[in-house]
Short mmCIF file of all heavy atoms in Angstrom, two decimals:
data_model
loop_
_atom_site.label_atom_id
_atom_site.label_comp_id
_atom_site.label_asym_id
_atom_site.label_seq_id
_atom_site.Cartn_x
_atom_site.Cartn_y
_atom_site.Cartn_z
N GLU A 14 -22.53 -14.81 5.15
CA GLU A 14 -22.50 -13.40 5.48
C GLU A 14 -21.90 -13.13 6.87
O GLU A 14 -21.34 -12.09 7.11
CB GLU A 14 -23.95 -12.80 5.40
CG GLU A 14 -24.44 -12.66 4.00
CD GLU A 14 -23.60 -11.87 3.07
OE1 GLU A 14 -23.02 -10.81 3.45
OE2 GLU A 14 -23.48 -12.29 1.90
N THR A 29 -11.26 -24.58 -3.99
CA THR A 29 -10.60 -24.62 -5.21
C THR A 29 -9.53 -25.65 -5.35
O THR A 29 -9.06 -25.99 -6.43
CB THR A 29 -9.96 -23.17 -5.57
OG1 THR A 29 -9.00 -22.84 -4.52
CG2 THR A 29 -11.01 -22.13 -5.72
N ALA A 46 -16.52 -11.93 -3.96
CA ALA A 46 -16.45 -11.00 -5.03
C ALA A 46 -17.12 -9.68 -4.61
O ALA A 46 -16.54 -8.60 -4.79
CB ALA A 46 -17.14 -11.58 -6.29
N VAL A 69 -15.17 4.64 -11.95
CA VAL A 69 -14.05 3.66 -12.12
C VAL A 69 -14.52 2.63 -13.10
O VAL A 69 -15.67 2.38 -13.29
CB VAL A 69 -13.65 3.04 -10.79
CG1 VAL A 69 -13.12 4.12 -9.80
CG2 VAL A 69 -14.78 2.29 -10.15
N GLN A 71 -14.31 -1.54 -14.35
CA GLN A 71 -14.21 -2.83 -13.77
C GLN A 71 -12.70 -3.23 -13.70
O GLN A 71 -12.26 -3.82 -12.68
CB GLN A 71 -14.97 -3.92 -14.59
CG GLN A 71 -14.95 -5.29 -14.01
CD GLN A 71 -15.85 -6.22 -14.67
OE1 GLN A 71 -16.90 -5.85 -15.20
NE2 GLN A 71 -15.52 -7.54 -14.66
N TRP A 77 -7.12 -3.07 -8.31
CA TRP A 77 -6.99 -2.79 -6.93
C TRP A 77 -7.03 -4.12 -6.18
O TRP A 77 -6.21 -4.34 -5.32
CB TRP A 77 -8.06 -1.85 -6.44
CG TRP A 77 -7.84 -1.51 -5.00
CD1 TRP A 77 -7.04 -0.54 -4.49
CD2 TRP A 77 -8.34 -2.23 -3.82
NE1 TRP A 77 -7.02 -0.56 -3.09
CE2 TRP A 77 -7.80 -1.64 -2.72
CE3 TRP A 77 -9.16 -3.39 -3.71
CZ2 TRP A 77 -8.11 -2.13 -1.41
CZ3 TRP A 77 -9.45 -3.81 -2.45
CH2 TRP A 77 -8.91 -3.22 -1.33
N GLU A 89 -8.61 -13.73 -7.37
CA GLU A 89 -8.79 -14.06 -8.75
C GLU A 89 -8.07 -15.34 -9.15
O GLU A 89 -8.64 -16.15 -9.88
CB GLU A 89 -8.32 -12.86 -9.66
CG GLU A 89 -8.56 -13.14 -11.12
CD GLU A 89 -8.25 -11.95 -12.02
OE1 GLU A 89 -7.92 -10.90 -11.55
OE2 GLU A 89 -8.44 -12.15 -13.30
N ARG A 94 -8.82 -21.13 -10.95
CA ARG A 94 -8.58 -22.58 -10.91
C ARG A 94 -9.78 -23.33 -11.27
O ARG A 94 -9.72 -24.50 -11.65
CB ARG A 94 -8.10 -22.99 -9.53
CG ARG A 94 -6.75 -22.55 -9.14
CD ARG A 94 -6.35 -23.14 -7.76
NE ARG A 94 -5.39 -22.25 -7.15
CZ ARG A 94 -5.27 -22.05 -5.81
NH1 ARG A 94 -6.15 -22.56 -5.02
NH2 ARG A 94 -4.35 -21.23 -5.33
N PRO A 98 -11.86 -17.56 -17.47
CA PRO A 98 -11.67 -16.08 -17.36
C PRO A 98 -12.90 -15.28 -17.77
O PRO A 98 -13.27 -14.31 -17.07
CB PRO A 98 -10.49 -15.80 -18.20
CG PRO A 98 -9.71 -17.05 -18.27
CD PRO A 98 -10.74 -18.15 -18.15
N LYS A 99 -13.56 -15.71 -18.83
CA LYS A 99 -14.77 -14.92 -19.30
C LYS A 99 -15.85 -15.00 -18.29
O LYS A 99 -16.50 -13.95 -17.96
CB LYS A 99 -15.20 -15.45 -20.68
CG LYS A 99 -16.28 -14.64 -21.29
CD LYS A 99 -16.64 -15.04 -22.72
CE LYS A 99 -17.68 -14.12 -23.25
NZ LYS A 99 -17.97 -14.46 -24.64
N LYS A 116 -23.90 2.64 -12.62
CA LYS A 116 -23.36 2.97 -13.90
C LYS A 116 -23.28 4.45 -14.13
O LYS A 116 -24.24 5.17 -13.90
CB LYS A 116 -24.14 2.30 -15.00
CG LYS A 116 -23.37 2.09 -16.32
CD LYS A 116 -24.18 1.41 -17.41
CE LYS A 116 -24.17 -0.08 -17.20
NZ LYS A 116 -24.75 -0.83 -18.31
N VAL A 153 -13.13 37.08 -1.48
CA VAL A 153 -13.66 38.13 -2.28
C VAL A 153 -12.70 39.29 -2.36
O VAL A 153 -12.44 39.84 -3.45
CB VAL A 153 -15.03 38.64 -1.69
CG1 VAL A 153 -15.51 39.86 -2.43
CG2 VAL A 153 -16.05 37.50 -1.79
N LYS A 157 -10.73 40.73 -5.75
CA LYS A 157 -10.80 42.18 -6.17
C LYS A 157 -9.40 42.72 -6.33
O LYS A 157 -9.16 43.58 -7.18
CB LYS A 157 -11.54 42.99 -5.11
CG LYS A 157 -13.04 42.77 -5.11
CD LYS A 157 -13.75 43.60 -4.05
CE LYS A 157 -15.17 43.41 -4.13
NZ LYS A 157 -15.92 44.06 -3.00
N GLY A 163 -7.14 41.99 -20.40
CA GLY A 163 -7.41 41.20 -21.62
C GLY A 163 -6.96 39.77 -21.39
O GLY A 163 -6.31 39.33 -20.47
#
Side-chain angles (χ1 to χ4, degrees):
E14 291 303 320
T29 59
V69 298
Q71 183 171 330
W77 184 88
E89 183 173 358
R94 288 183 205 146
K99 187 173 183 177
K116 202 178 279 189
V153 172
K157 286 179 181 173

